[in-house]
Amino acid sequence: MLAILGFLMIGVFMFLIITKRMSAIVALIIIPILFALAGGFGNGIGEMMLEGVKQVAPTGVMLMFAILYFGIMIDAGLFDPLVSNILRIVKGDPLKIVVGTAVLSMLVALDGDGTTTYMITVSAMLPLYKRIGMNPLILTCIAMLSFGFMNMTPWGGPTARAVSALQLDIADVFTPLIPVMLGGALWTLFTAFILGRKERKRLGIAKIHYSNDETLALSEHSAALEYEDYKRPKLLWINLLLTVTLLVCLILSVLPLPILFMIAFVVALMINYPKLDDQKERITNHAGNVLAVVGLVFASGIFTGILSGTEMVDAMANSLVAVIPESWGSNFALITAVTSIPFTYFMANDPYYFGVLPILAKTAAAYGVDPVEIARASILGQPVHAMSPLMASAYLLVGMAGVEFGDHQKFIFKWALGSCFVMIALALLIGVITL
């Protein structure tokens, strides 16, 4: 009964946001409350919600200061040379712009963090999309596809969780997956080529006469001069050094991510805008983005808190495992890879890798399947996991690009699913997982 309630809750939630009958922030809060009350969990619902909010609080803090930090870098003009160089290379060709988006986002995603991947990619590429008149959903699609397979790196999170949960060696799990990730990269480039070619047919190749002194304003022309007042071209190398240092510290986990972004934001603010009035104005300028994204993060805490507190997520996992026929036992690695797609979409990484994966591995062991194969297979659903409504960075991406979450879900779904299937097929072909 709990499993049915859980699946129904997620189904109603997705229906409401995709059909735009309810905003994401409202649906994330009201839908789980109604289903929890319907399931008879009224007495403990407050504690469940509070626990969920506590769990997402570090992510909310990180996103808040990440938005502010990269907002300061955008204001100061850190990404202007990058945009200028990309524009010179791609000129006005939508196909080259989309492929350039894929290359840039894959490079940035090497740090394994969706927040920085989306912020840098959208900051650099959105002005080009607006200038040419391209569909911003293509930008969000390509950026998310890139992060989806790049998140499989050991420092990205899922691989480390799988290794820890099953007590395996990181090299045994990750190294064989490198060719599979290359397959994910090729699929992303293929997707970029297809979408870019469609945009080229729709828009044609724009004739852009670009000069070194030209800058791309993120706002309308009337606000461009005001925007220029906050450029800091003389501090370009200092800002670049600060950003590179931040990314290195993020990868090395020198400090917790929220703390790193808090420190980096304060340093960036003091360096670029030492005057108090300028600091207040810059923070106010980005307050809208902060509120929209962080509000969704805490709302998602309500959703996950109730999903976990009522044990719906456990019941859903057990029900899916129970329907697997015993005759399929020898194919458990493939089963794990395929089921990781819905599992990691409907639940966060922690409950899946520390709750569901050990059950799958134990079941597979009874059929003689090596746990290391189960660990590898469990990571192959990450491209779909990246678009999960429980992923805070997904809201950041759509918010920065100015698109609806439901529209983004509909646009990217088949491409993300294709990425998963391509990697699963390649994993079977080269023996990363076996039948």
Side-chain angles (χ1 to χ4, degrees):
M1 192 64 188
L2 274 178
I4 295 173
L5 197 65
F7 285 121
L8 188 60
M9 181 176 82
I10 291 174
V12 170
F13 167 77
M14 292 304 302
F15 172 77
L16 289 173
I17 63 170
I18 288 177
T19 57
K20 299 182 183 179
R21 284 175 168 79
M22 194 174 285
S23 66
I25 192 168
V26 173
L28 283 167
I29 295 173
I30 196 66
I31 298 302
I33 290 175
L34 292 176
F35 273 86
L37 293 175
F41 297 99
N43 291 334
I45 193 171
E47 293 180 4
M48 294 176 196
M49 291 190 290
L50 185 58
E51 185 62 30
V53 170
K54 287 179 180 177
Q55 289 178 356
V56 300
T59 301
V61 173
M62 180 196 72
L63 285 174
M64 173 181 173
F65 285 97
I67 293 169
L68 290 173
Y69 174 80
F70 284 106
I72 294 299
M73 291 295 107
I74 294 166
D75 291 345
L78 174 63
F79 301 107
D80 286 354
L82 177 62
V83 174
S84 301
N85 288 325
I86 292 174
L87 185 55
R88 284 194 197 91
I89 295 171
V90 303
K91 300 187 184 299
D93 188 345
L95 173 58
K96 293 181 180 178
I97 290 173
V98 180
V99 173
T101 301
V103 174
L104 174 63
S105 55
M106 284 189 283
L107 290 173
V108 178
L110 279 168
D111 75 340
D113 180 62
T115 302
T116 53
T117 299
Y118 298 152
M119 292 205 71
I120 293 175
T121 302
V122 175
S123 298
M125 301 304 296
L126 186 60
L128 302 181
Y129 280 71
K130 287 184 175 180
R131 187 182 180 107
I132 305 297
M134 295 173 61
N135 185 356
L137 287 171
I138 295 176
L139 171 58
T140 60
C141 174
I142 297 300
M144 185 167 280
L145 284 181
S146 299
F147 171 68
F149 78 87
M150 290 301 293
N151 194 38
M152 293 163 61
T153 55
W155 51 88
T159 303
R161 286 179 174 89
V163 168
S164 299
L166 301 184
Q167 298 180 343
L168 301 170
D169 184 84
I170 191 76
D172 293 339
V173 175
F174 175 69
T175 303
L177 284 172
I178 294 175
V180 178
M181 291 178 65
L182 291 176
L186 291 175
W187 174 261
T188 301
L189 290 171
F190 170 75
T191 303
F193 176 79
I194 296 298
L195 296 177
R197 189 172 60 177
K198 287 182 179 179
E199 284 294 271
R200 179 196 273 175
K201 289 181 179 179
R202 184 174 72 90
L203 299 170
I205 299 177
K207 294 180 180 179
I208 298 178
H209 301 286
Y210 187 78
S211 64
N212 290 334
D213 296 330
E214 181 182 1
T215 56
L216 293 171
L218 295 175
S219 55
E220 295 296 327
H221 178 70
S222 59
L225 292 177
E226 181 183 352
Y227 180 80
E228 287 295 313
D229 290 340
Y230 295 98
K231 299 280 187 180
R232 296 293 185 264
K234 294 181 179 179
L235 297 175
L236 175 64
W237 291 106
I238 294 176
N239 286 328
L240 179 60
L241 178 62
L242 178 60
T243 302
V244 171
T245 302
L246 171 62
L247 294 177
V248 171
C249 290
L250 288 171
I251 293 172
L252 298 178
S253 299
V254 174
L255 290 172
L257 267 61
I259 303 301
L260 285 172
F261 275 112
M262 291 174 74
I263 295 172
F265 162 67
V266 171
V267 173
L269 193 63
M270 290 190 299
I271 290 174
N272 290 279
Y273 307 104
K275 294 182 180 179
L276 183 59
D277 289 342
D278 289 343
Q279 292 180 2
K280 290 180 178 178
E281 192 164 351
R282 289 301 88 209
I283 293 173
T284 301
N285 186 58
H286 299 289
N289 276 341
V290 171
L291 180 60
V293 174
V294 176
L296 281 166
V297 171
F298 285 112
S300 71
I302 301 292
F303 193 96
T304 55
I306 289 177
L307 199 62
S308 300
T310 58
E311 297 185 353
M312 289 184 197
V313 67
D314 297 326
M316 291 162 64
N318 291 330
S319 66
L320 287 176
V321 172
V323 299
I324 299 172
E326 289 188 14
S327 59
W328 294 5
S330 59
N331 300 322
F332 224 86
L334 176 60
I335 292 170
T336 300
V338 173
T339 57
S340 72
I341 298 173
F343 269 135
T344 57
Y345 181 83
F346 291 131
M347 63 180 70
N349 276 332
D350 283 343
Y352 174 68
Y353 286 105
F354 294 113
V356 177
L357 186 59
I359 297 173
L360 293 173
K362 187 175 181 180
T363 306
Y367 295 101
V369 180
D370 195 326
V372 74
E373 287 193 32
I374 301 301
R376 294 171 191 158
S378 69
I379 305 166
L380 299 178
Q382 285 303 303
V384 169
H385 171 70
M387 57 180 283
S388 169
L390 304 180
M391 283 285 286
S393 57
Y395 298 111
L396 172 66
L397 174 64
V398 298
M400 287 190 67
V403 301
E404 291 292 331
F405 186 81
D407 292 339
H408 168 71
Q409 292 275 303
K410 288 187 288 186
F411 189 90
I412 192 178
F413 179 72
K414 65 180 180 181
W415 302 108
L417 198 62
S419 182
C420 292
F421 286 147
V422 164
M423 291 197 294
I424 291 172
L426 186 56
L428 287 169
L429 183 65
I430 64 176
V432 172
I433 59 175
T434 57
L435 295 176

